[in-house]
């Protein structure tokens, strides 16, 4: 799973961090950032926490992308 935070939508409520601190952290201004140095890949053991954190965001500034679905979409697009 991949997590993406849209900084244009984030208002700094910090609900994602409060819900899933192992996935989301706050930058120096209090806006959402990805934990583990900005790595967008979510470890399998934190996928449920990432979903909970994304759902806690009132602005829906967090998008979660299932890597399996993304791979299947690429394979479908490559077919004639």
């Amino acid at each position: 799973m991949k997590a993406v935070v849209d900084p244009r939508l984030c208002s700094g409520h910090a609900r994602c961090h409060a819900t899933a601190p192992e996935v989301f952290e706050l930058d120096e201004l209090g806006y959402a950032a990805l934990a583990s140095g900005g790595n967008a890949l979510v470890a399998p053991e934190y996928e449920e926490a990432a979903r909970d954190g994304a759902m806690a965001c009132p602005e829906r500034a967090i998008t979660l992308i299932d890597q399996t679905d993304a791979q299947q979409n690429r394979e479908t697009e490559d077919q004639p």
Side-chain angles (χ1 to χ4, degrees), residues 17-60:
H17 175 69
T19 304
E22 55 278 301
V23 180
F24 303 101
E25 58 186 28
L26 303 178
D27 67 12
E28 62 278 353
L29 298 175
Y31 292 96
L34 296 171
S36 54
N39 188 351
L41 294 177
V42 177
E45 62 267 24
Y46 297 127
E47 288 184 358
E48 185 175 349
R51 285 185 193 94
D52 293 343
M55 291 302 296
C57 178
E59 285 83 17
R60 300 294 180 243

Side-chain angles (χ1 to χ4, degrees), residues 3-79:
V4 179
V5 177
D6 186 338
R8 297 169 298 166
L9 296 177
C10 179
S11 293
H13 292 286
R15 292 180 183 175
C16 59
H17 175 69
T19 304
E22 55 278 301
V23 180
F24 303 101
E25 58 186 28
L26 303 178
D27 67 12
E28 62 278 353
L29 298 175
Y31 292 96
L34 296 171
S36 54
N39 188 351
L41 294 177
V42 177
E45 62 267 24
Y46 297 127
E47 288 184 358
E48 185 175 349
R51 285 185 193 94
D52 293 343
M55 291 302 296
C57 178
E59 285 83 17
R60 300 294 180 243
I62 300 167
T63 302
L64 300 176
I65 302 166
D66 184 351
Q67 296 298 93
T68 304
D69 290 344
Q71 179 63 32
Q72 289 173 349
N73 288 341
R74 280 194 297 275
E75 291 171 358
T76 302
E77 290 172 359
D78 292 339
Q79 294 178 359

